[in-house]
Amino acid sequence: MTENTSGPTPGIRLIVSGAGYLTTSEGYTVYRFLPLYMQKNNLGQITKAQLTWGDEWPASIQPLIFQFVPMPAPAHAGPGVTGVIADFERTDGKYGYKQVTYNGWWLYFFTEDRAGEVRGIVPGLWDVVPVDVEPLYPLDEDDDVGTPPPIILGGP
């Protein structure tokens, strides 16, 4: 018996908006949490994100943090999406599902967005995910520092 592969691919289909950032095929904007950014310091060493989980943040910012929910796996690329889509098991146990990543960035939805809206940008904290976003984790052998969650100690 042969397997039928003509049906739809399960999960969330990521596509590129007209402005060059990721959305779902249903039009929901995809966000990234900017404090997870890692960069090389002047000694050539990778700086690791050292964040606490959202429920450990000050009470005044928690309502904002929890308006962003992790994108559940699985996800797959639509036309023009060229980055690496992966997923990982969250260690906090809050959501009960694997979270999708794109070029190493953890992906989120903003609960106040409707299809076609971009209301979740918070300067310095949350931004859209450009289709050509620089990888959060270096992909070449010399700079390999692993994959989440060991490098990222916390987050929303």
Side-chain angles (χ1 to χ4, degrees), residues 111-127:
T111 60
E112 299 300 311
D113 272 354
R114 302 296 174 256
E117 293 183 338
V118 184
R119 297 176 53 202
I121 294 175
V122 180
L125 286 179
W126 299 96
D127 199 3

Side-chain angles (χ1 to χ4, degrees), residues 35-76:
L36 296 184
Y37 185 70
M38 293 172 29
Q39 60 185 356
K40 286 187 176 183
N41 62 23
N42 59 2
L43 301 175
Q45 300 166 324
I46 298 294
T47 305
K48 298 178 183 177
Q50 304 281 323
L51 299 171
T52 57
W53 293 107
D55 56 3
E56 298 171 24
W57 284 46
S60 61
I61 199 168
Q62 284 184 23
L64 171 66
I65 290 292
F66 292 118
Q67 286 183 311
F68 292 86
V69 294
M71 178 187 288
H76 61 279

Side-chain angles (χ1 to χ4, degrees), residues 10-114:
I12 297 169
R13 182 175 177 221
L14 295 174
I15 63 170
V16 183
S17 74
Y21 57 84
L22 295 180
T23 69
T24 68
S25 57
E26 291 81 21
Y28 289 93
T29 301
V30 177
Y31 296 90
R32 61 186 170 141
F33 186 59
L34 294 174
L36 296 184
Y37 185 70
M38 293 172 29
Q39 60 185 356
K40 286 187 176 183
N41 62 23
N42 59 2
L43 301 175
Q45 300 166 324
I46 298 294
T47 305
K48 298 178 183 177
Q50 304 281 323
L51 299 171
T52 57
W53 293 107
D55 56 3
E56 298 171 24
W57 284 46
S60 61
I61 199 168
Q62 284 184 23
L64 171 66
I65 290 292
F66 292 118
Q67 286 183 311
F68 292 86
V69 294
M71 178 187 288
H76 61 279
V81 176
T82 57
V84 176
I85 298 172
D87 59 60
F88 72 98
E89 191 74 47
R90 291 180 60 102
T91 60
D92 58 1
K94 292 178 193 224
Y95 296 98
Y97 55 81
K98 289 184 177 184
Q99 184 170 352
V100 175
T101 64
Y102 182 78
N103 282 352
W105 288 93
W106 298 10
L107 300 184
Y108 296 86
F109 293 117
F110 182 56
T111 60
E112 299 300 311
D113 272 354
R114 302 296 174 256

